[in-house]
């Protein structure tokens, strides 16, 4: 494994999406190219392919969106495994998209960086790349059969907050539930690993819900969202509070919290876990020894 670049992650990520044009982007390319990540990308693409086969209908290929596609490794695997699919890669970094285009073309996959309207059209190259800030609620709605969000790490900058405020960050019912979940503590003290204060937790939950809301808008009714997260175990092995927090952040919490309901946009359909050294991505940022063990899981949601 290559030695990771050394820098202040929090300071770098505070710049928002443009951070991936500089130090964060260099670090991520270094990480994404290693064998552990490559195996993970293949497994993720295989999982998406197999799940979409089960739901396939009609003769036309599906439209898949890779949300925050980065340097294009998942795009490349999906293009190879799903030859009839149209694939749209969205990312806010022009450097990441240039790498994705180069990588795809070298693999013999037709692709182009296009304006949004052309990227979602029925005709065009198999892989279409779009440079855009995320979330972006002006993207075409209800077009995608599936969205992949792999190892999400979108950090909004201060200038992005008005977009979040307009698209759910201040949703009244959601904020009530978010504040409760941020204040709750584990029944078993050994399960309590939360190190952030309630305000920071609240901000994280509500920001992630805005991204989930944006992804939901891209999907056709009943479309599939494949979310890949760093993890230490299956979701079902997490504490009940951790499961509530995850599902709330993903707009998939069906159970009321103290008789208060949050907006439901997705239903949890499946979760698979794989041990992998990709977990070291987390350790490089936290320096917490507990983040050296684990891997990742893929969660499948269906839009409601």
């Amino acid at each position: 494994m290559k030695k990771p670049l050394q820098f202040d992650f929090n300071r770098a990520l505070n710049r928002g999406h443009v951070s991936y044009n500089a130090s964060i982007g260099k670090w991520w390319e270094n990480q994404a190219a290693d064998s552990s990540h490559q195996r993970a990308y293949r497994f993720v693409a295989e999982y998406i392919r197999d799940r979409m086969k089960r739901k396939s209908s009609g003769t036309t290929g599906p439209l898949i969106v890779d949300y925050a596609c980065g340097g294009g490794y998942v795009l490349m695997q999906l293009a190879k495994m799903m030859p009839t699919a149209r694939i749209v890669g969205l990312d806010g970094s022009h450097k990441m998209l240039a790498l994705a285009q180069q990588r795809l073309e070298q693999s013999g996959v037709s692709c182009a960086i296009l304006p949004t309207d052309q990227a979602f059209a029925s005709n065009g190259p198999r892989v279409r790349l779009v440079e855009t800030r995320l979330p972006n609620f002006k993207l075409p709605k209800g077009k995608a059969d599936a969205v992949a969000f792999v190892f999400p790490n979108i950090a909004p900058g201060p200038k992005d907050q008005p977009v979040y405020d307009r698209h759910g960050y201040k949703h009244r019912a959601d904020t009530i539930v978010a504040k409760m979940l941020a204040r709750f503590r584990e029944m078993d003290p050994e399960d309590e690993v939360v190190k952030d204060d309630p305000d920071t937790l609240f901000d994280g939950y509500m920001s992630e819900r805005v991204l989930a809301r944006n992804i939901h808008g891209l999907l056709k009714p009943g479309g599939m969202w494949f979310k890949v997260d760093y993890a230490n175990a299956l979701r079902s092995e997490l504490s009940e509070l951790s499961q509530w927090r995850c599902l709330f952040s993903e707009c998939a919490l069906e159970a009321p919290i103290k008789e208060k309901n949050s907006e439901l946009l997705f239903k949890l359909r499946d979760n698979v876990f794989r041990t992998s050294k990709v977990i070291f991505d987390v350790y490089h940022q936290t320096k917490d020894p507990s983040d050296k063990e684990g891997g990742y899981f893929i969660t499948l949601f269906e839009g409601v």
Side-chain angles (χ1 to χ4, degrees):
M1 181 180 294
K2 295 181 181 179
K3 185 177 180 180
L5 300 173
Q6 300 297 317
F7 57 91
D8 187 327
F9 279 91
N10 289 331
R11 182 177 179 182
L13 286 169
N14 280 339
R15 298 179 61 205
H17 72 283
V18 297
S19 62
Y20 283 86
N21 290 328
S23 53
I24 291 287
K26 291 178 182 178
W27 170 79
W28 181 240
E29 268 296 294
N30 186 62
Q31 296 297 109
D34 73 18
S35 58
S36 297
H37 287 77
Q38 294 302 307
R39 284 193 294 271
Y41 296 142
R42 284 194 296 273
F43 181 76
V44 168
E46 288 169 355
Y47 181 89
I48 293 173
R49 176 199 62 194
D50 294 346
R51 276 292 178 166
M52 295 197 73
K53 276 184 179 178
R54 299 181 193 180
K55 198 174 180 179
S56 177
S57 62
T59 57
T60 59
L63 174 63
I64 304 172
V65 173
D66 187 349
Y67 194 89
C69 65
Y73 284 115
V74 174
L75 289 172
M76 187 164 60
Q77 292 293 339
L78 288 172
K80 289 179 179 178
M81 295 182 193
M82 303 180 71
T84 64
R86 290 176 293 136
I87 307 169
V88 177
L90 307 174
D91 204 272
S93 166
H94 64 267
K95 288 192 175 181
M96 290 289 102
L97 287 177
L99 287 168
Q101 183 179 27
Q102 180 183 36
R103 192 161 281 136
L104 288 158
E105 289 176 345
Q106 289 176 347
S107 298
V109 177
S110 64
C111 68
I113 299 177
L114 298 172
T116 302
D117 56 342
Q118 294 181 36
F120 284 82
S122 57
N123 297 321
R126 290 211 40 231
V127 177
R128 303 91 182 273
L129 306 174
V130 179
E131 182 178 349
T132 176
R133 289 184 180 222
L134 295 172
N136 179 355
F137 287 85
K138 294 182 180 179
L139 293 167
K141 293 179 172 57
K143 299 286 188 180
D145 296 282
V147 174
F149 195 15
V150 181
F151 300 131
N153 196 14
I154 292 178
K159 294 181 179 179
D160 298 317
Q161 191 59 46
V163 174
Y164 282 72
D165 289 346
R166 289 196 301 272
H167 295 283
Y169 189 91
K170 295 183 177 182
H171 189 285
R172 188 162 182 262
D174 291 350
T175 58
I176 292 171
V177 176
K179 287 176 181 178
M180 287 192 288
L181 291 174
R183 291 196 305 266
F184 287 166
R185 290 295 175 259
E186 298 284 1
M187 295 293 292
D188 184 348
E190 291 187 3
D191 289 335
E192 186 57 74
V193 296
V194 176
K195 301 173 185 177
D196 294 318
D197 62 88
D199 288 342
T200 301
L201 293 172
F202 172 86
D203 177 67
Y205 303 152
M206 294 303 294
S207 295
E208 289 173 23
R209 284 183 71 84
V210 172
L211 295 172
R213 188 173 283 108
N214 192 203
I215 289 169
H216 184 267
L218 295 172
L219 288 166
K220 296 176 180 177
M224 293 184 285
W225 174 21
F226 299 90
K227 186 167 181 274
V228 184
D229 295 281
Y230 302 105
N232 301 109
L234 282 165
R235 296 174 76 110
S236 59
E237 296 177 21
L238 301 175
S239 70
E240 185 174 41
L241 177 55
S242 292
Q243 292 185 54
W244 287 348
R245 285 169 166 167
C246 288
L247 289 169
F248 174 79
S249 296
E250 296 151 342
C251 296
L253 179 62
E254 297 187 56
I257 302 296
K258 289 192 172 181
E259 301 183 351
K260 299 295 183 180
N261 290 294
S262 54
E263 184 180 22
L264 182 69
L265 299 179
F266 291 100
K267 289 197 174 183
L268 173 65
R269 294 306 189 201
D270 191 32
N271 181 241
V272 295
F273 172 74
R274 301 271 288 193
T275 57
S276 171
K277 290 183 179 180
V278 299
I279 195 66
F280 275 81
D281 293 350
V282 181
Y283 171 71
H284 294 159
Q285 298 178 60
T286 66
K287 303 304 180 186
D288 185 336
S290 67
D291 289 328
K292 288 184 175 182
E293 297 183 5
Y296 64 95
F297 56 45
I298 308 173
T299 309
L300 170 59
F301 298 97
E302 183 177 340
V304 297

